[in-house]
Every structure is written in structure tokens, then in C-alpha cells.
Amino acid sequence: MVLSKFMHVTSVIVGLVGVVVFAGAILGGVDNLVFGITKADALACAAILILMAIWVQIATIHHMMLEKKGKLI
């Protein structure tokens, strides 16, 4: 269960970072720079981070189901 808990925490952290980057890109200044990169690049990074968080969460659910069945590799 330790690995699945680590995966869950990692997913939550990556998701929160994605939300912070998204909020920064939306609420960013008028010079079209967010964290030193363009607003479009920041939005793309936020989308990738959120998709990564979703993917890790799906993997965590799958891993937990395998743990319950005792079929962990």
C-alpha cells in the first residue's frame, strides 16, 4: 500500500501545481509573461500537468485494484 499512497500524493501535488500555473496564466500581467514564459506556453504546461495528474490517479486506482487481488508484480 505504500506505493499506491505515494502515487496518490504525487498525483495531488502535480495537479495542484497545474492549477497554480493555470491560475497564474489566466490572472497574469498584461505583458503576456507568466513565470518568465509566454502565456500560451504557461497554459500548455498547465494542461500537461493536469493531464499527468489524471493519468497518475488512474494508475493509482489500477494499482490499488491489483493490490486487493494480490496480483502485484
Side-chain angles (χ1 to χ4, degrees):
M1 283 275 209
V2 175
L3 182 61
S4 60
K5 288 182 182 182
F6 174 73
M7 290 169 61
H8 175 71
V9 170
T10 303
S11 172
V12 170
I13 291 171
V14 170
L16 287 176
V17 170
V19 169
V20 167
V21 171
F22 179 76
I26 295 297
L27 302 174
V30 293
D31 60 350
N32 280 339
L33 288 179
V34 180
F35 305 121
I37 59 175
T38 64
K39 192 175 277 196
D41 289 338
L43 286 171
C45 289
I48 290 170
L49 285 169
I50 292 171
L51 288 174
M52 285 172 53
I54 292 169
W55 186 256
V56 172
Q57 197 62 259
I58 291 170
T60 302
I61 292 169
H62 177 69
H63 193 273
M64 289 173 63
M65 289 171 50
L66 287 177
E67 284 178 348
K68 284 183 184 178
K69 292 181 182 180
K71 295 183 179 180
L72 229 160
I73 297 173

